[in-house]
Amino acid sequence: MNYNDIFLIILIVFSWIIIIIPLAPAINKSKHFATMGPALMIRSTKNGGVLDAVAKHLPAKSLGKISTVLVVFGGLLAFGMLLYEAVLLTIIHIPTSAAPPLQDYLALPLINPFIPLGYGTASLVFAVVIHEMFHGIVARKHGIKVNSVGALFFIIPIGAFVEPDEKEIMAADPVVRRRIIAAGPGINLIIAAICIVLLVFVMMPASTPIHSGVYVDNSTTLYSGHAIPKGMEITSYGNLSGKQLNNLETTSMITPGLANITLFNGKTETNGSVPTGVAIVDLISGCPAAAANVSTDSIIYNISDAGHSHIIYNINTLGDVLDNITPGTTINMTVLTFHTGKTVPAYTTYTMKTVSTYHYYAKNDPTANKAAYKDESFIGVQIDYSGIGYESIDSLHSLVFGGQLVGPNFYETLGLPLLGLSPIPASLSHMFSTPFNSYIFFGITNTLYWFFWIDFLLGIMNALPLSILDGGQFFRDTLTIASRRDRLKFLRDENNVKKIYYAMGIFVFLLLMYIIIAPRII
């Protein structure tokens, strides 16, 4: 999105606000219109029949019961995720410069840069509308009057609302009221589950990788004309191909220098040559390599000590060599540097005295230090392999279709938008064969993912025990219902219920504030 687009969006939003606010008193006198801040509410009192008709043909009471279980699960999951993130922030120091921008915490199109306008808006509107509708449907199934339903606009439709009769719903049995409240986040979680099942069991098997290489998601130019373009698939590298490329940086035995490579752009394969080996991308200040003025954007060819020369084939080789050199040893390190227009690299040898890995961690990260590091050498180079970052195409195939949601990659699946993998880039989607038109197929795939993403987050966040969310009243009614057990009869005292309810709400609120504020001040 360019600056002109941003300026136009700001202009439209500002114009809407300055028109709505002065007109708010007149709008609020209308029977069918009202304002909620800068948003416009369009009410209808004649749509109750629609809710009745839907409620009549749906097992809404059973849905309310199922939703109660889902909200408990969703609330615990959301609470656990918040705790986990708070603990991580406490253990792992994040520089204030790396703190996420505040807009990243809001799952709203136009505001959050990771949420696409089209998929994001459609998914959000659907999720909010279905959420509110099911509050009303379950309320009608239990005989609770719905005073009005309507749409919520802020330039575009951003959702819907249902207004059950407040007196009737507050007079209802807490068990019934809890089912009505749970129906909103419950249906969101059900839809999220349906979408992820369709992604994993229908869309993923219907597409297959054309090759089994590796997808380049990051690339550094080691010398002009020989960088591996981002968004390409490496199908062969030297004498390696297919799944052999999955651990290229740790198992390659290709001699450092130039290597033949085959790249696939989704349509055709091209052959070329690229610098290969352990690339030095940066130097750590105060360490031996920096003191020796080692050239960055170069490749380590070999390391020699006491007459023994070791060719550095991969990252593991470099680690093994340094681990077996006594700290304080003088070594020679030869690197390859590639210059524009040259096909033969320049060889440069640097002399330096190693320090211990223990010394480095003692100064920079004491909590990660180990006694064994005292016998391992350290030179202070930041490295990667051949200036590329890559992922197995088979692994990406599973990831972008939600196949890794269960297990250690749970956060990676949720974080696909942050990784730039949803909507799935055209450069990646072209790496797969599909049963029909690729654009339509991946359009459906992206839609299912964003329906899952928005509904899942809306469902679990609404399950949190905060007074402004459905989970607040749900938690309070749960305490009231629990008081019917003799062993929990202390909850029959409304003051005890209030104390627990407010304490939990404050704790969750403080967790949220800690997650937002901590990276900016610690």
Side-chain angles (χ1 to χ4, degrees):
M1 184 179 291
N2 58 41
Y3 287 111
N4 289 333
D5 293 333
I6 295 172
F7 176 76
L8 180 61
I9 290 169
I10 293 172
L11 180 63
I12 292 172
V13 170
F14 182 72
S15 299
W16 172 275
I17 292 172
I18 63 174
I19 291 171
I20 283 290
I21 290 179
L23 294 176
I27 292 173
N28 291 328
K29 291 178 182 179
S30 169
K31 180 180 179 181
H32 297 292
F33 296 92
T35 58
M36 181 185 292
L40 178 66
M41 303 168 66
I42 303 178
R43 282 196 183 99
S44 174
T45 58
K46 298 180 180 180
N47 290 330
V50 175
L51 297 178
D52 287 339
V54 176
K56 182 179 179 181
H57 294 91
L58 278 181
K61 288 186 178 180
S62 297
L63 177 66
K65 294 177 183 178
I66 294 169
S67 294
T68 299
V69 177
L70 290 175
V71 170
V72 171
F73 163 77
L76 290 173
L77 179 61
F79 185 70
M81 289 169 67
L82 291 178
L83 274 178
Y84 176 70
E85 190 167 351
V87 170
L88 280 183
L89 287 173
T90 303
I91 297 174
I92 302 172
H93 174 68
I94 298 178
T96 54
S97 59
L102 291 176
Q103 62 263 34
D104 289 3
Y105 293 98
L106 298 174
L108 295 173
L110 293 180
I111 295 177
N112 190 316
F114 296 105
I115 299 179
L117 182 59
Y119 291 115
T121 301
S123 303
L124 181 61
V125 170
F126 174 81
V128 174
V129 168
I130 205 74
H131 178 107
E132 293 295 330
M133 288 294 289
F134 270 79
H135 280 314
I137 289 167
V138 176
R140 292 303 301 134
K141 193 72 171 184
H142 285 282
I144 304 294
K145 180 182 177 182
V146 173
N147 291 332
S148 67
V149 298
L152 201 62
F153 284 77
F154 184 76
I155 305 170
I156 60 173
I158 60 171
F161 62 90
V162 173
E163 294 180 321
D165 188 273
E166 187 174 352
K167 290 183 179 179
E168 289 190 19
I169 199 168
M170 292 312 295
D173 186 286
V175 173
V176 171
R177 185 168 57 241
R178 192 172 64 161
R179 290 176 188 169
I180 294 170
I181 292 166
I187 193 63
N188 290 135
L189 291 174
I190 290 171
I191 290 170
I194 291 171
C195 289
I196 202 68
V197 166
L198 289 174
L199 274 174
V200 175
F201 295 104
V202 178
M203 304 304 287
M204 184 162 65
S207 69
T208 54
I210 297 172
H211 299 282
S212 292
V214 292
Y215 178 77
V216 179
D217 55 19
N218 189 31
S219 179
T220 301
T221 302
L222 293 179
Y223 73 110
S224 180
H226 288 267
I228 301 175
K230 180 179 178 181
M232 301 286 276
E233 181 182 358
I234 302 172
T235 57
S236 73
Y237 199 121
N239 61 347
L240 304 175
S241 62
K243 297 183 186 298
Q244 294 175 318
L245 300 170
N246 290 355
N247 298 304
L248 187 64
E249 79 280 9
T250 57
T251 61
S252 169
M253 295 301 292
I254 300 171
T255 301
L258 283 179
N260 294 326
I261 190 171
T262 304
L263 299 174
F264 178 58
N265 64 3
K267 296 180 180 179
T268 58
E269 286 187 292
T270 55
N271 297 315
S273 60
V274 293
T276 193
V278 178
I280 301 173
V281 295
D282 204 359
L283 306 176
I284 299 174
S285 178
C287 292
N293 294 315
V294 174
S295 174
T296 56
D297 294 335
S298 59
I299 286 175
I300 302 175
Y301 179 74
N302 69 11
I303 290 178
S304 58
D305 69 299
H308 297 93
S309 180
H310 312 275
I311 294 178
I312 307 302
Y313 294 102
N314 55 60
I315 290 173
N316 280 359
T317 303
L318 176 62
D320 291 340
V321 169
L322 290 175
D323 288 351
N324 286 286
I325 293 176
T326 303
T329 299
T330 298
I331 64 170
N332 292 317
M333 182 171 73
T334 301
V335 303
L336 311 178
T337 306
F338 297 88
H339 299 289
T340 302
K342 302 289 186 179
T343 57
V344 178
Y347 289 76
T348 307
T349 300
Y350 297 92
T351 301
M352 65 193 78
K353 181 179 287 188
T354 68
V355 296
S356 70
T357 304
Y358 186 90
H359 170 78
Y360 169 77
Y361 276 101
K363 183 179 179 181
N364 296 280
D365 192 1
T367 59
N369 213 352
K370 298 178 182 178
Y373 289 163
K374 292 179 179 179
D375 300 320
E376 299 174 1
S377 278
F378 186 82
I379 58 174
V381 290
Q382 294 182 359
I383 58 175
D384 63 19
Y385 189 82
S386 299
I388 59 171
Y390 64 86
E391 290 288 341
S392 156
I393 202 74
D394 292 322
S395 175
L396 279 177
H397 179 235
S398 175
L399 181 65
V400 298
F401 285 96
Q404 299 182 33
L405 182 65
V406 178
N409 291 316
F410 170 78
Y411 280 101
E412 256 192 287
T413 300
L414 285 184
L416 286 182
L418 281 69
L419 298 173
L421 294 175
S422 188
I424 300 169
S427 60
L428 177 59
S429 65
H430 291 162
M431 310 297 176
F432 306 115
S433 62
T434 58
F436 49 87
N437 182 277
S438 176
Y439 292 101
I440 296 175
F441 181 87
F442 281 101
I444 295 170
T445 298
N446 289 326
T447 299
L448 286 172
Y449 178 82
W450 279 100
F451 270 50
F452 153 75
W453 197 85
I454 294 288
D455 277 280
F456 178 76
L457 291 183
L458 184 63
I460 65 171
M461 290 306 293
N462 257 289
L464 286 171
L466 285 171
S467 59
I468 60 173
L469 303 174
D470 292 329
Q473 186 61 50
F474 182 91
F475 180 65
R476 190 164 187 163
D477 284 336
T478 298
L479 294 176
T480 302
I481 295 167
S483 71
R484 295 172 180 176
R485 297 176 178 269
D486 286 338
R487 59 182 177 180
L488 297 174
K489 60 183 179 181
F490 72 93
L491 293 174
R492 294 169 190 170
D493 186 337
E494 184 62 22
N495 288 328
N496 290 336
V497 170
K498 286 182 179 179
K499 288 177 183 177
I500 297 172
Y501 170 72
Y502 287 121
M504 179 58 75
I506 291 170
F507 183 66
V508 172
F509 176 77
L510 291 176
L511 267 181
L512 286 167
M513 290 300 100
Y514 178 77
I515 290 169
I516 294 171
I517 296 171
R520 290 167 170 77
I521 61 174
I522 296 178

